[in-house]
Amino acid sequence: MTFNRRDIPNPPKDIRPQTKLALDAIAPTLTVEDAQRLVHELRVHQIELESQNEALQDARHESEEALARYTELYDFAPVGYVTLDRNGLIKRANRAAIALLRTTPELSASQRLGAFVADESLPDFTSFLERILSGKDTEHCEVALKSGEREPNDVVILEGLADITGQDCIVAMVNITERKRAQDALLRAKEIAERATSAKSRFLAAASHDLRQPLQTLYLICGVMARRFDDPRLRELLASQDQALDVMSGMLNTLLDINQIDAGLTTPQPIGFRIAVLLERLERDFAFHAGTGGNTWRVVSSHLFVHSDPKILEQILRNLLSNAFKYTHHGKVLLGCRRRGNHLSIEVCDTGIGIAENQIDSIFNEFVQIETPSDRQNCGLGLGLSIVKREVELLGHTLKVRSQPGRGSVFSIEVPLAEAETPITVPGLPPFESMNAAIRQRRILVVEDDIAISSMMNSLFTAEGATVTVTSNAATAISLAAVSPRAFDLVVTDYTLRDGPTGLDLISRLRTTEQPDLPVILLTGDISTTTLRKIGTHTGCIHMTKPVSTTQLLHAAGVLLSRTQRPGTDARSMGPTIFVIDDDEALRQTMGALLTEEGRSVESYPNAEAFLNAVGSTREGCLLVDAVMPGMGGLELLKHLRSQNRRLPAIVMTGHGDITMAVTAMKAGATDFVSKPLDPEGLLAAVDRALEQGQDLATESIRRNDAIERMSSLTPREYDVLEQLLAGHRNKTIAHCLGISQRTVENHRASVMRKTKSKALLDLLRTVIDANRST
């Protein structure tokens, strides 16, 4: 069935002309069903188009609203924004940018941003703009903007990013003028503070130098007088004067401590050590302070090890304890320890006047002292706690304070624990008497422009047997040294000299190729940080801060001269050295004095390890060593030397004629024995015998033959008794072993001693050793 056009219903009025033409074209061939379906599809498309049209209208409204918000944010943002083209022309600027550029919207739209940049910042701005337009990364730049003639330039940070087209870019401008002004003001304040600190340091250094000069003179006068007069009353007065000088010197040294820390010359050397050793020393040293103030003094020790610098830590505790005793009268002072995890809290507690809470922070400032109206005898500079704070920070420890006025204070230091003690090698030094002997017949040059000090040094060294030359300036010293390649054995010079060059300059001039290691003692009263840094970088001399006591000065000179040979001598002409090894310092000094007076060259060491580290294998002489010492004992030392093929003759000191120990020492390689307490004549004879061994074969042969002759006169029974005696047995035990009476043993023993010409068992053992050497 077919339809013609008139059979098709009239199309809707909203159908567009194009649709009608299409219907007209297909109408002759469409069925009713096709026509209805087509009408339906057209209606669906109409609905979809209307929906899309509504969505487009909504999107356009949202876009307009977003653009309006962006425009509002852009225009009213607190940060300045400008949009630039590739040539830097301002296409748009917000209000903050216009205000920052000090222009108007009309003018800014026709100008380049570079026109507002100060001339000195133009190269940086040009490079900044090129970087933005060449990439997609955000770029930063700090520039100065032009301002009025009488106004300083504003400083801004520019931050820019190119747009997606790469043709334009947007630049943010952050005003940092006030921040820069605040930074400049802070830098100026810092410079002013540093200048004030420098002025303070210069003042303290100058005051310290001027005060140390007369103090040095007084020290030397006391030392010279003490050596010239034997009047006990005069010596007592000199001792009192020394104590007063020590107090004054201590006050000046507190200034030196601060300057050394500020100059960076104090370098901590933390080790593991037992805190009990330090606490015991403090307990002993502060016992006198406790008695004078009527205080109860107590120390609670600990067996733990701590990791710190023992010298600096001791100085911290001494300052805290001095303050505790200073502000406590008829009360209690306690030094104790508490373990807190992996730290040890070392606390100094007192029941003194206490500190108000609002004063706790200020007590660590320089020259601050707590007022004590009731006690006008307290003296000091108020630097102790300032030094404590610096040293605690230097060590990296923690310092805490608790205090109540009228009830006392507690200062605590948190120190990390250590697992064990750090082994330390202590270099051995010759005894004091030996170092004094090293000064005799030496040539010493003193360069000092203070006449009083140079005169006293001349008297001091002359009294010790030295030849002293004194001059007041560097030029004369250089001319005197030029007379001979090795004109002087030691130079003692002040750092500050009148004619311009310093003591360090003089040292450099005096140390020539003929004497590059000339010993020098450098004295100074200048404690400025600049001077301390210069001295700290100079090696090869002993630096001593004035005032220096005569004992310290002679000790330093003896140390330096004992390391050098006397003029015109070599190692052979100086003779062999006697190496005294004993952990008892008093005994080392006594033996050193005795042997030095006999013209012997002596070196002493506190332990075997120090001897091994300091003495080379080519040195000649003999050992005088204690059998039992902490660490490596004397017998272990002999075994070690034997294993290293070092054949130094050794004299072993044994306690109270211990024959068993002597036999053990003989097996270890000892050549002779002396018993404590030491007999001076016996000691000297033993040393002579040891030095003769291996050097005089004829004398050694005579000794061997004499010993053989003495031993050959013994009967078989006397030999039996001799063997038992050398085994360390008593008469009663020998009688039981040999099956004879004790009286018979005593008779045989007396006969053995008489025939071998021995006064003691050690003499008898010495004879047996000499005889055995013949085999």
Side-chain angles (χ1 to χ4, degrees):
M1 180 179 181
T2 60
F3 293 90
N4 55 30
R5 188 175 184 278
R6 63 176 176 270
D7 295 323
I8 300 175
N10 292 327
K13 295 181 180 180
D14 56 350
I15 295 179
R16 296 180 180 181
Q18 293 85 349
T19 307
K20 291 180 180 181
L21 293 175
L23 289 175
D24 291 339
I26 63 175
T29 60
L30 286 178
T31 63
V32 175
E33 291 82 1
D34 292 335
Q36 291 176 348
R37 185 173 60 255
L38 180 61
V39 170
H40 176 73
E41 290 178 357
L42 291 174
R43 295 290 298 175
V44 170
H45 287 305
Q46 180 183 11
I47 294 172
E48 290 178 352
L49 290 173
E50 290 175 352
S51 298
Q52 291 176 1
N53 187 41
E54 291 178 359
L56 289 174
Q57 291 293 331
D58 293 340
R60 183 173 64 82
H61 289 308
E62 290 178 1
S63 176
E64 291 175 352
E65 291 177 359
L67 178 61
R69 287 194 299 270
Y70 167 78
T71 303
E72 185 177 3
L73 289 174
Y74 184 93
D75 290 335
F76 294 96
V79 176
Y81 287 103
V82 293
T83 303
L84 308 177
D85 63 9
R86 297 192 65 85
N87 297 319
L89 186 67
I90 300 176
K91 300 178 66 174
R92 184 174 183 178
N94 69 351
R95 295 187 178 186
I98 291 172
L100 192 59
L101 297 176
R102 300 181 183 183
T103 184
T104 61
E106 295 79 12
L107 293 176
S108 64
S110 60
Q111 291 182 299
R112 287 182 171 83
L113 181 58
F116 297 93
V117 178
D119 294 341
E120 64 271 17
S121 299
L122 272 177
D124 294 336
F125 172 74
T126 303
S127 175
F128 162 77
L129 191 61
E130 291 176 355
R131 291 196 307 270
I132 294 176
L133 297 173
S134 62
K136 298 298 183 181
D137 294 333
T138 304
E139 296 292 339
H140 302 267
C141 179
E142 180 179 315
V143 299
L145 300 180
K146 295 179 180 178
S147 59
E149 296 181 357
R150 298 184 180 180
E151 297 179 3
N153 293 339
D154 289 333
V155 181
V156 296
I157 292 179
L158 304 181
E159 183 171 349
L161 180 67
D163 65 5
I164 57 175
T165 65
Q167 299 300 315
D168 296 337
C169 62
I170 185 169
V171 177
M173 298 190 298
V174 181
N175 192 350
I176 61 170
T177 304
E178 294 301 324
R179 187 197 313 172
K180 294 286 289 186
R181 290 173 182 170
Q183 290 177 351
D184 293 341
L186 184 61
L187 289 175
R188 287 194 297 270
K190 182 181 178 182
E191 291 175 358
I192 294 173
E194 289 176 347
R195 286 198 298 269
T197 301
S198 177
K200 178 208 70 175
S201 298
R202 289 195 302 271
F203 167 75
L204 292 178
S208 174
H209 179 269
D210 293 342
L211 289 173
R212 289 175 188 273
Q213 289 292 95
L215 275 178
Q216 181 64 76
T217 304
L218 290 174
Y219 261 116
L220 294 174
I221 290 175
C222 290
V224 172
M225 292 180 65
R227 282 165 170 76
R228 289 187 177 181
F229 300 100
D230 295 329
D231 186 353
R233 296 182 61 184
L234 179 59
R235 287 182 173 272
E236 184 177 350
L237 291 175
L238 291 174
S240 299
Q241 183 171 331
D242 272 339
Q243 292 178 357
L245 291 174
D246 287 340
V247 173
M248 298 174 67
S249 179
M251 296 174 69
L252 290 175
N253 285 337
T254 56
L255 301 177
L256 176 63
D257 292 338
I258 286 182
N259 274 22
Q260 283 183 324
I261 296 174
D262 292 342
L265 299 179
T266 303
T267 304
Q269 297 179 348
I271 60 172
F273 65 96
R274 192 183 297 275
I275 192 63
V277 177
L278 173 56
L279 299 184
E280 289 171 3
R281 183 162 57 250
L282 294 173
E283 181 178 17
R284 181 180 61 253
D285 293 349
F286 279 90
F288 175 76
H289 293 73
T292 56
N295 295 309
T296 302
W297 168 228
R298 184 186 173 201
V299 175
V300 179
S301 190
S302 171
H303 66 281
L304 297 174
F305 296 95
V306 296
H307 187 260
S308 181
D309 186 310
K311 292 182 179 180
I312 299 179
L313 182 60
E314 179 175 354
Q315 187 173 4
I316 291 172
L317 294 177
R318 285 186 180 276
N319 277 327
L320 293 178
L321 288 171
S322 296
N323 263 17
F325 282 108
K326 177 179 178 181
Y327 293 107
T328 304
H329 301 282
H330 303 287
K332 299 179 181 179
V333 178
L334 170 68
L335 174 62
C337 301
R338 299 173 185 267
R339 179 166 186 170
R340 300 186 184 279
N342 58 353
H343 284 73
L344 185 69
S345 176
I346 307 174
E347 300 181 354
V348 176
C349 313
D350 65 69
T351 58
I353 63 173
I355 309 167
E357 185 176 356
N358 60 356
Q359 290 183 309
I360 289 181
D361 292 335
S362 64
I363 61 175
F364 294 103
N365 296 331
E366 298 174 3
F367 307 108
V368 173
Q369 287 184 300
I370 300 174
E371 297 293 336
T372 56
S374 61
D375 181 14
R376 299 182 181 275
Q377 296 180 352
N378 286 331
C379 59
L381 298 175
L383 291 173
L385 291 180
S386 177
I387 295 175
V388 165
K389 181 181 179 182
R390 282 172 162 86
E391 291 177 332
V392 168
E393 292 174 350
L394 189 67
L395 295 176
H397 300 339
T398 302
L399 176 64
K400 299 179 181 178
V401 185
R402 306 191 310 272
S403 186
Q404 290 186 9
R407 300 190 63 179
S409 306
V410 178
F411 289 80
S412 62
I413 304 172
E414 300 282 341
V415 183
L417 293 174
E419 296 182 357
E421 188 170 9
T422 302
I424 303 175
T425 301
V426 181
L429 292 177
F432 184 75
E433 293 80 2
S434 175
M435 286 186 284
N436 280 2
I439 301 175
R440 297 170 194 164
Q441 300 179 355
R442 293 301 187 99
R443 297 162 299 180
I444 300 177
L445 174 63
V446 176
V447 187
E448 172 61 64
D449 54 13
D450 190 303
I451 298 177
I453 294 178
S454 61
S455 177
M456 288 300 102
M457 285 188 183
N458 187 10
S459 300
L460 180 66
F461 288 121
T462 301
E464 296 297 326
T467 301
V468 184
T469 303
V470 178
T471 181
S472 61
N473 57 77
T476 305
I478 294 171
S479 62
L480 290 172
V483 174
S484 173
R486 304 182 70 89
F488 300 103
D489 303 310
L490 173 68
V491 175
V492 182
T493 178
D494 193 8
Y495 175 80
T496 305
L497 301 174
R498 288 181 181 177
D499 55 355
T502 65
L504 294 179
D505 299 329
L506 176 61
I507 294 172
S508 300
R509 295 289 300 275
L510 293 179
R511 284 180 169 168
T512 60
T513 54
E514 292 82 6
Q515 201 172 8
D517 55 349
L518 175 65
V520 176
I521 297 176
L522 181 65
L523 301 175
T524 180
D526 186 352
I527 63 168
S528 63
T529 54
T530 303
T531 300
L532 292 177
R533 287 194 181 102
K534 289 180 180 178
I535 296 175
T537 58
H538 199 282
T539 60
C541 65
I542 293 181
H543 167 232
M544 307 184 77
T545 304
K546 295 180 179 179
V548 179
S549 68
T550 55
T551 302
Q552 294 171 330
L553 187 58
L554 290 175
H555 187 272
V559 168
L560 291 174
L561 291 173
S562 64
R563 298 172 182 171
T564 60
Q565 300 178 11
R566 294 183 181 274
T569 64
D570 55 18
R572 292 185 178 181
S573 62
M574 293 179 66
T577 303
I578 303 170
F579 304 102
V580 180
I581 307 173
D582 197 296
D583 59 335
D584 189 327
E585 182 178 0
L587 183 61
R588 293 199 309 272
Q589 292 185 359
T590 302
M591 288 189 292
L594 174 64
L595 295 169
T596 301
E597 289 298 326
E598 294 296 320
R600 303 294 187 183
S601 176
V602 182
E603 294 181 13
S604 70
Y605 300 90
N607 51 60
E609 291 83 356
F611 166 77
L612 292 173
N613 289 328
V615 179
S617 59
T618 60
R619 297 287 298 277
E620 296 181 357
C622 72
L623 296 178
L624 186 57
V625 59
D626 192 6
V628 180
M629 294 183 296
M632 180 184 288
L635 303 185
E636 295 177 4
L637 173 62
L638 297 184
K639 294 177 182 178
H640 176 77
L641 294 176
R642 206 170 185 178
S643 65
Q644 299 294 323
N645 292 323
R646 296 176 66 177
R647 300 295 182 180
L648 280 175
I651 304 170
V652 176
M653 295 177 285
T654 61
H656 306 289
D658 188 345
I659 192 65
T660 304
M661 179 67 73
V663 172
T664 305
M666 178 189 68
K667 294 179 180 179
T671 58
D672 213 337
F673 316 93
V674 290
S675 60
K676 298 180 180 179
L678 299 175
D679 172 36
E681 294 183 0
L683 176 63
L684 294 174
V687 170
D688 289 339
R689 287 193 298 269
L691 294 177
E692 288 174 1
Q693 180 181 341
Q695 295 184 357
D696 191 341
L697 297 179
T699 302
E700 186 177 355
S701 177
I702 293 173
R703 287 176 52 195
R704 289 201 300 267
N705 293 335
D706 182 55
I708 293 172
E709 183 178 352
R710 295 180 192 180
M711 295 295 294
S712 62
S713 64
L714 300 180
T715 66
R717 178 58 73 181
E718 288 171 346
Y719 265 111
D720 294 338
V721 173
L722 173 62
E723 291 178 354
Q724 295 293 323
L725 288 174
L726 296 181
H729 296 159
R730 298 179 179 274
N731 292 344
K732 184 176 181 179
T733 304
I734 296 174
H736 176 74
C737 293
L738 299 179
I740 56 179
S741 67
Q742 185 173 344
R743 182 59 179 239
T744 303
V745 171
E746 293 173 354
N747 292 334
H748 286 313
R749 176 172 180 168
S751 177
V752 169
M753 301 297 286
R754 184 181 67 255
K755 291 180 179 180
T756 58
K757 299 178 183 180
S758 302
K759 296 180 180 180
L761 287 178
L762 287 180
D763 297 332
L764 177 61
L765 179 59
R766 190 177 296 116
T767 301
V768 173
I769 293 174
D770 290 339
N772 287 336
R773 286 199 184 103
S774 63
T775 59

